[in-house]
Amino acid sequence: MLSFLQILTLFSLIIPLYSSPTPLHFIKRHSFHKNAINSQPQQYFQVTRPLPFDSLNTSCTLPIVTHNFSNTYGLPPVSVPYSPPLNCPWTDVVLEIQVSCQGEQYDRIAGVWLSGRELIRTSTAEPTEDGIFWVVRKDVTRYSSLLAQENLTLSMMLENIVNDYFTGVYQVNVTFLYYDTSPHPAPAPATAPAPDPDSFDPLIVIPGEDEFYYRTSRKLKSVEYPLSFEVNYEKGSFELYDRPADLILPISSSGIDGFWFRIQNESDIHSKRVEIPPNTYRAVIEVFSSAHGDDEFWYSNPPDAYLLNVEAKESGSKRGHGAYREVLVKIDGDLVGSVVPFPVIFTGGINPLFWEPVVGIGAFDLPSYDLELTPFLGLLLDGKPHSFTFEVADGISFWLVDANLHLWLDAGLMEVQACIGSSEPEFTLERESKFDGLGGKFEVEAERKAKISGWMNMAAGYFTTSFEQKVKLENTVKYYNNGLSKLVEQKVKDKSEFTIKSGNGEVIFYTSTKREYPLKLNTVTLPGREENTYQMTTKLETSIEEKKTVGESSSTLKDRQECNGWMLVKDHDVLSGGAYTHQNYSFKDAANCYSRIVVAENGAVLGDSSSLLCVHSL
Ligand SMILES: *[C@@H]1O[C@H](CO)[C@@H](O)[C@H](O)[C@H]1NC(C)=O
Ligand SMILES: *[C@@H]1O[C@H](CO)[C@@H](O)[C@H](O)[C@H]1NC(C)=O
Ligand SMILES: *[C@@H]1O[C@H](CO)[C@@H](O)[C@H](O)[C@H]1NC(C)=O
Ligand SMILES: *[C@@H]1O[C@H](CO)[C@@H](O)[C@H](O)[C@H]1NC(C)=O
Ligand SMILES: *[C@@H]1O[C@H](CO)[C@@H](O)[C@H](O)[C@H]1NC(C)=O
Ligand SMILES: *[C@@H]1O[C@H](CO)[C@@H](O)[C@H](O)[C@H]1NC(C)=O
């Protein structure tokens, strides 16, 4: 996304605009779509799998926001009160966002929060003269404990600019859909096992400048638990851990300009102090992040030294600082986990014609990243507030980062006792840069390994916990043909494992996530016939492969896009062009398979086939 300042430069033209080979963010001009066959608004979509309850009728629906986001830049989010619907049994919840837009507009970033906890990070598609619309549906059941609470505030932020030049207003409806998937007759809503209200004062939230304190009155009675307390040793799974959290705390900003922290550079550190209830037995931090401005295409940024070289000759680009980024999460100044985010490409990115009407992977529902903090409970359970900090290693302006802290509470105890064991962090970062004039090759290799163990004593017994994370990034940015051609190749691998063992060493819970997301981008730029125009021919291959294991069940996701196209560009405006996008999506878990292949060319869907059959090659 462009920052406001960058947009201003479009008008002033005092500062030269990004010239070849750096411009990667564009807008489609009306002249471009003049000859389109369509005159009806067109539906855009992100390829995903159906949700398990798509075929069910809702128990109830709650339309919550209807808003036209026009000139909202710098304004606070739209906020409305939220309470769950009355007399409506539910077990699962979907957040649905419907958007329509007509005119000329850049893609914009948006977020929805419930009392400061982010439910979804989404971005918009760039509209056309005939108009476009789309629907995003996200399963938000993991926020059930929050969604069951009354008198919360739902906020939505979508920073848009509308003027003579950018005319597209985003018309948005946000609706909660509640489903009851329990075997009938329906039991109470999915908030179990909640503390007995008679023995537990509700948590009191005291919002301060940048702090939330959670006060628990220690009135909880000690309850004798039957030995079988939700622990199923035979199946080798610890079912207690496989349900939505009991409490979700926001690790986010005050909300004046969105609840995300705006991280401007590598030394721009944002913190929030949080105190967690003493009976917490599991903690997971869910991190949301998106890269914008000069870092929107961070994985293709050359080192500053090369940029200075280019800048001296022709360009005003600040998209530099090399191509390694990592979102770091620290508690009281110590690193507890990190995320190398999947490179989500927004609909104005690289070649906007790639993303009509199929948007890039994650563009309508940006992935969030879970980091296990349970082994750190020994540090967090001292009844004191702790400082949670976000940084972006090597980051430049700007990143939007915040997180939800998911906590599971032991209803049988006032206090869980926990202790941190050994920790073995390792980090290596190697860079190699070679350049001569506008040609050059830049390589980065970063690897982080962390292993932490701990133990805890809770109602169900004594357990040891261990968390292991390994993140590896390999990136090459190459300029050739006097800087007019650029090749970016990136590989990211992320593996994390969390194990709980009983007192006698038996594994009672295991979960792991393995992700790989390679990206390959090849761009050739040629000067156009008219002044200030150039033609870019681009090939992009991007994919995500994810394997998740919880206990004995696992799921595999493979999602791959291959795009080819060209465009004639003046400044940031696409004047003409053609593009082809091919996407393969497949998902498999113990119960289901789903695969879908979509082919789009020049804004039209040429093929879209899906199947529920399981293919063995997965
Ligand atoms: C959903 O509701 C419709 C109309 O009330 C009904 O005909 C249909 O059988 C219901 N479907 C399911 C899956 O319950
Ligand atoms: C949004 O704008 C459209 C078109 O101008 C209008 O019809 C609609 O009523 C507006 N909606 C809201 C919620 O203001
Ligand atoms: C939002 O809801 C209103 C009322 O149901 C509907 O008329 C409108 O088309 C919806 N807007 C979008 C973008 O789907
Ligand atoms: C929510 O607000 C209503 C109206 O102010 C109030 O009657 C109710 O007790 C509140 N509920 C909670 C859980 O605070
Ligand atoms: C980093 O960003 C912060 C916040 O905008 C600013 O105050 C600080 O000067 C910047 N530091 C550097 C080294 O640019
Ligand atoms: C998608 O799958 C088909 C059939 O398996 C294969 O021919 C094609 O190359 C794949 N395309 C991409 C972009 O992965």
Side-chain angles (χ1 to χ4, degrees):
M1 316 269 147
L2 296 191
S3 73
F4 191 51
L5 255 184
Q6 285 168 315
I7 286 160
L8 279 182
T9 65
L10 287 176
F11 304 106
S12 66
L13 294 176
I14 297 164
I15 305 170
L17 287 168
Y18 309 133
S19 52
S20 135
T22 33
L24 287 165
H25 200 129
F26 305 94
I27 189 165
K28 298 174 289 193
R29 305 302 303 177
H30 272 166
S31 50
F32 175 76
H33 278 102
K34 271 276 179 312
N35 300 324
I37 324 133
N38 275 334
S39 54
Q40 291 295 311
Q42 191 183 7
Q43 179 157 20
Y44 278 43
F45 57 97
Q46 180 187 325
V47 173
T48 54
R49 62 183 172 277
L51 299 175
F53 29 83
D54 275 353
S55 59
L56 303 180
N57 289 329
T58 51
S59 295
C60 45
T61 60
L62 177 65
I64 188 148
V65 172
T66 301
H67 193 81
N68 289 344
F69 289 88
S70 52
N71 215 2
T72 49
Y73 199 91
L75 294 181
V78 170
S79 290
V80 294
Y82 170 89
S83 288
L86 293 171
N87 306 318
C88 170
W90 54 270
T91 55
D92 296 84
V93 188
V94 166
L95 177 68
E96 187 174 281
I97 305 181
Q98 301 172 330
V99 188
S100 67
C101 192
Q102 192 174 9
E104 291 186 26
Q105 194 51 266
Y106 273 108
D107 58 293
R108 304 290 181 190
I109 191 72
V112 176
W113 296 265
L114 198 48
S115 290
R117 290 82 163 172
E118 186 155 354
L119 301 182
I120 188 170
R121 177 88 48 107
T122 182
S123 70
T124 65
E126 292 194 345
T128 60
E129 199 173 8
D130 294 326
I132 64 169
F133 65 98
W134 67 93
V135 179
V136 189
R137 281 167 64 83
K138 180 176 175 179
D139 183 351
V140 290
T141 308
R142 72 179 298 195
Y143 311 104
S144 289
S145 62
L146 189 63
L147 292 162
Q149 284 176 41
E150 289 176 13
N151 302 343
L152 302 178
T153 302
L154 182 120
S155 309
M156 178 162 188
M157 178 100 168
L158 192 164
E159 283 190 329
N160 196 16
I161 293 173
V162 173
N163 52 32
D164 291 346
Y165 191 87
F166 304 113
T167 54
V169 172
Y170 288 104
Q171 300 184 24
V172 176
N173 291 339
V174 181
T175 310
F176 285 106
L177 308 172
Y178 300 82
Y179 295 88
D180 186 6
T181 62
S182 60
H184 290 281
T191 55
D196 171 2
D198 291 338
S199 61
F200 193 85
D201 273 355
L203 300 173
I204 304 163
V205 189
I206 306 168
E209 277 278 293
D210 63 344
E211 309 197 357
F212 273 87
Y213 287 100
Y214 277 79
R215 299 264 161 79
T216 50
S217 82
R218 306 196 171 191
K219 273 202 280 171
L220 265 180
K221 290 169 242 157
S222 202
V223 183
E224 279 295 316
Y225 263 90
L227 270 174
S228 64
F229 174 62
E230 297 209 41
V231 182
N232 188 338
Y233 287 87
E234 287 188 3
K235 270 198 265 164
S237 69
F238 197 21
E239 285 167 2
L240 199 52
Y241 281 78
D242 195 15
R243 58 173 179 81
D246 300 307
L247 179 66
I248 302 167
L249 303 186
I251 315 285
S252 58
S253 85
S254 64
I256 291 163
D257 54 356
F259 290 87
W260 37 43
F261 294 111
R262 274 161 212 268
I263 301 184
Q264 302 289 351
N265 55 53
E266 59 201 317
S267 45
D268 193 14
I269 295 167
H270 290 261
S271 310
K272 165 106 170 219
R273 286 163 70 77
V274 168
E275 185 185 327
I276 73 167
N279 60 334
T280 302
Y281 69 84
R282 189 185 184 198
V284 168
I285 190 167
E286 179 193 14
V287 179
F288 286 84
S289 83
S290 49
H292 306 276
D294 295 332
D295 245 359
E296 180 174 341
F297 307 97
W298 59 269
Y299 43 86
S300 74
N301 284 14
D304 293 341
Y306 174 82
L307 218 52
L308 281 174
N309 208 24
V310 179
E311 208 165 0
K313 291 194 166 61
E314 51 172 328
S315 162
S317 174
K318 295 194 298 283
R319 298 179 189 273
H321 226 50
Y324 149 73
R325 300 290 183 275
E326 215 180 343
V327 179
L328 305 178
V329 181
K330 294 183 175 176
I331 299 179
D332 300 334
D334 292 326
L335 187 72
V336 295
S338 74
V339 173
V340 176
F342 172 77
V344 174
I345 301 167
F346 302 126
T347 58
I350 298 179
N351 180 338
L353 310 179
F354 288 166
W355 317 121
E356 22 171 60
V358 187
V359 302
I361 297 171
F364 283 164
D365 183 4
L366 276 76
S368 63
Y369 304 86
D370 285 354
L371 298 170
E372 186 69 48
L373 297 182
T374 304
F376 296 97
L377 285 177
L379 172 75
L380 295 170
L381 287 178
D382 58 359
K384 293 184 185 134
H386 291 271
S387 169
F388 283 72
T389 306
F390 301 114
E391 295 173 37
V392 179
D394 278 18
I396 55 173
S397 184
F398 63 96
W399 287 68
L400 297 174
V401 180
D402 63 21
N404 302 321
L405 183 60
H406 294 251
L407 301 174
W408 286 258
L409 308 180
D410 191 338
L413 276 186
M414 274 183 345
E415 278 179 43
V416 168
Q417 288 172 300
C419 190
I420 297 195
S422 60
S423 145
E424 300 159 37
E426 269 176 52
F427 177 63
T428 55
L429 178 64
E430 282 169 35
R431 302 176 203 256
E432 202 173 312
S433 299
K434 276 182 267 175
F435 63 98
D436 178 13
L438 295 175
K441 185 176 179 189
F442 311 102
E443 288 171 286
V444 189
E445 205 176 308
E447 189 167 352
R448 189 182 296 283
K449 287 186 204 165
K451 194 173 174 179
I452 172 108
S453 62
W455 61 258
M456 61 189 173
N457 212 351
M458 50 186 280
Y462 170 87
F463 301 97
T464 60
T465 58
S466 73
F467 178 61
E468 220 177 314
Q469 192 193 10
K470 190 173 158 185
V471 187
K472 187 170 182 180
L473 171 145
E474 286 172 293
N475 181 293
T476 305
V477 175
K478 202 171 145 188
Y479 292 93
Y480 50 103
N481 188 13
N482 201 26
L484 290 174
S485 301
K486 182 173 180 178
L487 176 69
V488 177
E489 266 184 286
Q490 173 162 282
K491 272 189 205 159
V492 177
K493 283 188 190 179
D494 184 336
K495 183 178 181 190
S496 62
E497 288 175 284
F498 176 58
T499 313
I500 302 179
K501 292 181 181 170
S502 65
N504 61 19
E506 196 184 345
V507 173
I508 59 164
F509 180 75
Y510 174 79
T511 179
S512 71
T513 305
K514 249 197 239 180
R515 280 198 204 96
E516 277 185 38
Y517 25 91
L519 174 139
K520 194 171 169 185
L521 172 64
N522 205 337
T523 304
V524 176
T525 308
L526 293 172
R529 253 176 261 134
E530 285 170 49
E531 212 183 326
N532 288 330
T533 63
Y534 51 94
Q535 186 184 315
M536 293 177 92
T537 306
T538 307
K539 179 172 183 183
L540 170 73
E541 290 166 65
T542 173
S543 62
I544 185 161
E545 206 168 296
E546 183 177 82
K547 185 170 181 187
K548 275 191 186 171
T549 302
V550 178
E552 276 169 3
S553 55
S554 37
S555 64
T556 314
L557 167 72
K558 291 183 185 181
D559 193 3
R560 183 168 191 277
Q561 281 182 325
E562 197 178 303
C563 310
N564 277 291
W566 67 275
M567 56 181 178
L568 185 66
V569 171
K570 185 171 186 181
D571 301 331
H572 286 269
D573 298 346
V574 179
L575 304 177
S576 61
Y580 175 88
T581 296
H582 186 132
Q583 183 162 8
N584 282 5
Y585 180 102
S586 59
F587 176 82
K588 185 181 179 178
D589 67 13
N592 306 291
C593 294
Y594 178 76
S595 62
R596 185 166 170 189
I597 297 181
V598 176
V599 181
E601 191 172 346
N602 297 332
V605 176
L606 298 187
D608 185 352
S609 57
S610 58
S611 159
L612 294 167
L613 293 177
C614 292
V615 185
H616 286 293
S617 69
L618 247 178

